[in-house]
Amino acid sequence: MVLKIFFPTCCNTADSGLLIGRWIPGQDSAVVLAVIHYPFIPGQVKKYLSETQNQSQVDLAVLGSWSLPKDGQEGMDSFLKDLSTIFPNSRWLQLSREIGKRGFACQVVHNRITPPDPAQGGTDKKDQIIFIHYDQRKVMLSQLHPIHEESPGEESSELRAVFHTVAQSGPLFLLDRYDEGPLKLTHWQSEGREASIVVELSKQASVPLCIVLTWLVLLSFQLFLYVVCCRILNIWPVQFISSKMSTCVQTAYRTNHFQTVFSTKKATSHMEFMRKANIFVSFLVDMSLGLLLVSWLYRENHISQLANTLVPVADHVAKELQELLEWLMGAPAGLKMNRALDQVLGRFFLYHIHLWISYIRLMSPFIEMILWYVGLSACLGLTFALSVLSDIVALLTFHIYCFYVYGARLYCLKVYGLSSLWRLFCGKKWNVLRQRVDSCSYDLDQLFIGTLLFTILLFLLPTTALYYLVFTLLRLVVVMFQGVIHLAIDLINSFPLFAMGLRLCRSYRLAEGVKFRVLCEEPGTPLHLMMEINPLKCSSVLQRYRTPTYSCYPRDSWVDLCKKLFMGELIYPWKHKTTKTD
Amino acid sequence: MGQKKRSGRVHPPTCPSETQPPAAARTLDPPNSSKARGFGREERARHRICMVSDFFYPNMGGVESHIYQLSQCLIEKGHKVVIATHAYGNRRGIRYLTNGLKVYYLPLQVMYNQSTTTTCIHSLPLLRCVFVRERVTVVHAHSSFSAMAHDALFHAKTMGLNTVFTDHSLFGFADLSSVLTNKLLTVSLCDTNHIVCVSYTSKENTVLRAALNPDIVSVIPNAVDPTDFTPDPSRRDNSKITIVVVSRLVYRKGIDLLGGIIPELCTKHHDLYFLIGGEGPKRIVLEEVREKYQLHDRVRLLGALDHKDVRDVLVQGHIFLNTSLTEAFCMAIVEGASCGLQVVSTRVGGIPEVLPDELVTLCEPTVSSLCAGLETVIARQRSGKVPPPADIHSKVRTLYTWRNVAERTEKVYDLACRQPVLPLPARLQRLQSHCGAFAGFIFSFLAVIDFLFLFFLQWLHPDHLIDVAVDASGPHSCWGPSFKKKAKDSNRAWPPGADTRHC
Amino acid sequence: MGANSGPGASPCASPVGPWRKVLYARQPFPDNHVDRRFLEELRRNIRVRQYRYWAVVRETGLVAQQVSCVAVFITLWSCMDQGRLGPSVLLWAATGCALPGYGLYEMLGGKDRERPRLADLQSAAVFLAFTFGFSPVLKTLTESVSTDTVYAMSAVMLLAHLLSFPYTQPSPPGSLSLNAALFASVCLASRLPGALHTFAMLSWALLVFALWPCLLHRLRERAEWSFPWAAGLVCAGGVGGLGAVWPGGALLLSLALLVLTLACPLLLVCLQRHKDNIHGPWDEAEIREDLSRFLS
Amino acid sequence: MAEKNEFTDINGKAILLDCQNYSSFCREFTVSSPKVSLCKVIVCTCSVWLFAYAVFFVTENTAVLSSAIIITLVGMMMHIHLVKVEHETLLIIGSLGVQLSTSYASGRESTTFIEMSRIKDIVINEAVYMQSIIYYLCILIKDSGDPNGIASVVPLFQSSKPRLNCLVQVYKSCQAIIAQTR
């Protein structure tokens, strides 16, 4: 069995003294946390250990002795041996460092129950010891992935236990060499406590600030939410519409975020903390972008320019559609279509466009004012502005949507009729109970009428199909535009900025694991390894810390999207996964 | 060779196949005895056999169990056996069954009911790799339905290995599909060293289909393991007469006849009960009959049976009924008789050759004839003039044993190895002369392509770069120290799919 | 025993008793022993039917008359297309054919009738109403499609009708064949000048492709003798009618009919002699008796 | 202490197994494949550029040449950064764990450390790879659910595929270390 000693690099050059640390249970490995220097009074050491143990739930112990030979400290070894009697322990390590040698010598003195022959015990165990040097600060601050929330008591992994031990024993590191305690220690911040004023202040301030903010924001939001959600939203039409309007969705989403961020209770687990931080940062970024937008919008009235361009654009679109329809009513692309049906459909759609144009005219005077008020929404963040934009687009292209729906329904009808009549044509029928196609014998008149209808539908299909095709293409253009907007919104909402920053600046904070480097092997001394921290990959950072949002990617795969298009079913690709309507 | 060992080795699903490492199998087969057996016949030639077929465990059926049992007996006789089949689901790569029987589940595309697609070419690299790394001397392909088997024969001839083929099925000559299949069989058997059929009828059929010289066709029947089909009279209820039917419920098994027989007899005899095991598309027929004649209490449909449950069903009956319309060698009736039942069967295919007349009652494949046959047997049963099950079992148990099958197959291998493998020109000539101008031309072309492809592969990836597989099979090569490590490795790595990275 | 005399052991080593075709007994012969009784159960050409020439000719009459039915229809269409025949004439003719035909059908039907007359009347009314209502639509249906396309489509459809016509049991014409014919007739009718023309054409289509086969079937089963005459009549009508509009076509048609009725049966009877198929114990036994009596 | 042996991989290329022996329970195996051969690189670039020049000759368009140059550069970078593996290292430390590291030609190094408590065993296994069947060394990871189940299999020396004899050598010493430290 090999004895592993995790040794902090900062203690390499410490003066002689006692090793304080912890025996990892069941693992046969020791974590050295700090060195207590001479002179000390054993009673005080024990007292100090016990109280730090109460503060941090780590069962600290005196592992052994550490001797760095200096002038005037010869004859130490006998004294060190005697120390093991003062601090009774199953095993007693004697680490000693010679000048000029890089490795340590180590002796394991077994307690009195096992035959007491330290020399022999030491010698034959010499090669069975690994020194694993670790950077105490990094190990203390880093978070090992994948994250288990339970305490490392029950889990078998040794490294987790080590990380946990170091992270827990913060109180031990509070004592530094400048405060006038009875003891002198060496550990990672024995050169003076490391902390930044800003962090400390913010830590102190954050709790009351949070409370105040919550009172301000949440009250208003809660009120607003209460009114909106409980009263209005639950009435059917409003609910339906709000599920369609991306602005409302975004609002609801942001409110959840507010509730999570400004909750008064402290974030206990790592994940929770990271989530809060991510949301907060992304929210700030969003806000600032939005304010930039606002500042641009309301400078030398861009608004009115926008309005003056918007109306003609809508008008122009309508004109274009009109021309398209006239083209369709002729012989488009040399396709011969059934003239009568062609005329009927064309007139129908033209009438719609006519309606639309008059609607635009009616709206035009108010557009600017509307835009002005809508523009204010950008103060709430870029995402709001974007979602409002997508809603406006949806409203302005409503006629295209209508055309698409009509075309799709008509086409769908035709396709279904044809498919069922084709079965009749082949003398088969769809058996609903058995969910399969059976053959059956029809009467003469059934056959006759069926064939008649089949022929008619077949010859009328191209016309409808063409109309359907054209309007579907238009529809898809709009949908893609909205899709892009929604992707942008989703990106801003869900991108884990904080985690990424952490990964880039403090790469050791998020550890995927560790890696070892063989330091030196000199024949006499045991093996020395250097334990470094293996930072998490950026991709895994993304997929682990991505804040969950309503993902608004195409709901169904491309194949069955095409199938739906072919069968003429209505498609809502931009719809959120969470909204369950239809 | 105690009973324990045999019963430890029956049929893949029941035997502790995958979980049992060969190291554990050794407890069943002490090395000293195996060594002794080994030295006994050192002088005889040892073959390294590769069984190829599309049909193997986890698929279940006659061919599958045949391959498994035969391989086990051959391993026991000191030959080296590996099995190559196609991948079933995520059961890909290499697996070990009992006694270190090595199975290659090769990633080939499955086309139609578990038969792989064939281009005669694309499977060459993998099969070549198997043949080379296992140092195979004899390639033994099974079942004419299996495209992979034919491919393997084709490639083996190209690589100059001896080939043996076992045909498990009968074919008509009437319809177009059978014409095509027969042509393919002709092509793939015309230069195969030796062919094995499971019954004389099947031999005649194969000789006619493939236009073969009957001297290179041996008849080696299937076998059943008598130890797991033992009678148990206590299980049957003598107050009534039970007729047992165990077969897949498909047209070829004559289930329509059964649907006619059931009402005929049930109206005459009121103490008559039917116990029907098996699943299939014709189940609806039986269910309709049961509905119409209100026989729910007397006709029990058990559905699909595991092979280990078959015996429990059989021993509950007095009479075993088999209504097949065509059979090469009917194992079902042997199993029935081995369980001490009175067997009534149709006189089709190879069935008349299977059991002596005092053990089976043969009828024409018509409802009336079958009913008459059953009547006589029922009468005999009533009058108690039937021999006790134990006697029937003792008669049957010696008839068909896997050990005998293995011995005879061994002789076939010896014979095949003594024959030369045709070099390419002779092979082309044979193809041209044997299988007609058109097919002959096409397949000689394919043979040339295959040959060139083999050359290309040998240039691309020479044989000396292919690691020779460490033998983990057979008591003689198996228990050496070099093996133990391997055994430890190979039967440790069982996570399905995980041990195979097929790109 | 069987073990120690596997392949390789010479068959004449210990000829103890004759070879038996059984697997259960181990015999002193090698596994690949080929006995003198090998393939003795091989049978050739059992149950090959010998056809009598004139019977076959008589049967082909049905095919011939169906072909000439198509010819008749095309004749009518082309007449109307060229304006030789007015729609009203055709309609009257249709009525004139339909009523006696129906009468004959009823007469032959005898006592047992599955449908009441009311149903017939109803379906007739439905048919008339629909055809009449749709004929304007049908008229404009294919105007944008080029004529050649329409001709090609209808030719294909008529061919499909001829191929898929159930010659073996032509009780009601099978749905695919009837539909194909109707589709073709709609296509053709839509090229005609007027809505009434379309109506007339469709009614004739129904007459020729739907009702006439029923009547013919009734004739075949009730009055066997009259079938050849009816077939002959139709064929003559087809050839004659086609001759009126297109003599060359008439010639071709008559040739085709002759080949169909005389040459093809001769070929069948001759080729029957060269039949050679193998039977033996390996054949899958087919179930001859009718098992459906146990079900149903 | 450290011995170097010549072996070949499954395609017959020569590879070098460097077995560094730190102590009785800590060994390091480095399988290093041959470096990027300069002539091959030159051949590739030259062929691409010649082709590009031909295209340029047909369509007097200088963009072709520049794009060709960019493509070759980017392609080479991708190749040495993502594809070409310089050497793979297996560092096994008794009772602590196993560390696999792959270092690419560009100097990028990816390392994973597996603790001994998660390792069930190290075995040689057979697999179907492309169109052939090869032996490979792999680590069996324990399934946390059932004690003798296997959660996953981590293949070793994945990019440079040594042949059986090389694997056996690594396997034996790994087994020795595992045996003496558990």
Side-chain angles (χ1 to χ4, degrees), chain C residues 114-220:
Chain C
E114 59 282 6
R115 315 183 53 184
R117 285 203 174 68
L118 190 60
D120 297 345
L121 198 61
Q122 185 188 351
S123 54
V126 166
F127 153 71
L128 285 175
F130 264 85
T131 324
F132 198 75
F134 272 124
S135 45
V137 180
L138 295 174
K139 173 80 194 54
T140 67
L141 203 56
T142 62
E143 65 187 3
S144 63
V145 184
S146 79
T147 312
D148 304 342
T149 320
V150 172
Y151 287 169
M153 217 186 308
S154 36
V156 168
M157 281 298 169
L158 285 174
L159 202 63
H161 162 73
L162 282 182
L163 291 183
S164 65
F165 188 84
Y167 296 104
T168 49
Q169 75 291 1
S171 45
S175 37
L176 179 54
S177 62
L178 178 61
N179 287 325
L182 285 177
F183 189 89
S185 48
V186 169
C187 289
L188 287 177
S190 67
R191 311 306 290 181
L192 289 177
L196 195 60
H197 296 71
T198 317
F199 178 55
M201 208 61 238
L202 283 181
S203 40
W204 265 100
L206 193 73
L207 218 56
V208 173
F209 294 121
L211 301 180
W212 165 246
C214 300
L215 179 60
L216 194 69
H217 178 244
R218 186 57 69 82
L219 274 176
R220 272 186 90 188

Side-chain angles (χ1 to χ4, degrees), chain D residues 52-88:
Chain D
Y53 189 76
V55 175
F56 167 73
F57 194 74
V58 178
T59 73
E60 282 76 11
N61 184 359
T62 50
V64 178
L65 291 180
S66 46
S67 60
I69 293 172
I70 291 171
I71 286 172
T72 40
L73 289 181
V74 171
M76 210 180 303
M77 283 180 181
M78 294 302 248
H79 182 263
I80 64 171
H81 193 66
L82 301 176
V83 182
K84 174 63 182 167
V85 171
E86 202 87 307
H87 56 262
E88 287 173 295

Side-chain angles (χ1 to χ4, degrees), chain A residues 168-224:
Chain A
Q168 284 292 310
S169 56
L172 183 64
F173 304 136
L174 291 182
L175 187 70
D176 64 27
R177 67 167 55 170
Y178 302 109
D179 48 9
E180 293 307 316
L183 300 172
K184 294 269 179 267
L185 279 82
T186 302
H187 48 71
W188 66 277
Q189 57 183 9
S190 55
E191 295 304 321
R193 212 166 291 156
E194 172 193 272
S196 81
I197 314 290
V198 184
V199 174
E200 293 304 319
L201 283 181
S202 58
K203 269 183 190 165
Q204 298 312 319
S206 62
V207 177
L209 187 75
C210 272
I211 294 170
V212 173
L213 268 178
T214 325
W215 278 106
L216 291 179
V217 182
L218 267 197
L219 261 185
S220 52
F221 257 101
Q222 295 292 16
L223 252 171
F224 164 77

Side-chain angles (χ1 to χ4, degrees), chain A residues 408-420:
Chain A
R409 289 269 177 253
L410 209 58
Y411 177 78
C412 188
L413 204 71
K414 280 236 160 74
V415 167
Y416 276 116
L418 272 178
S419 57
S420 54

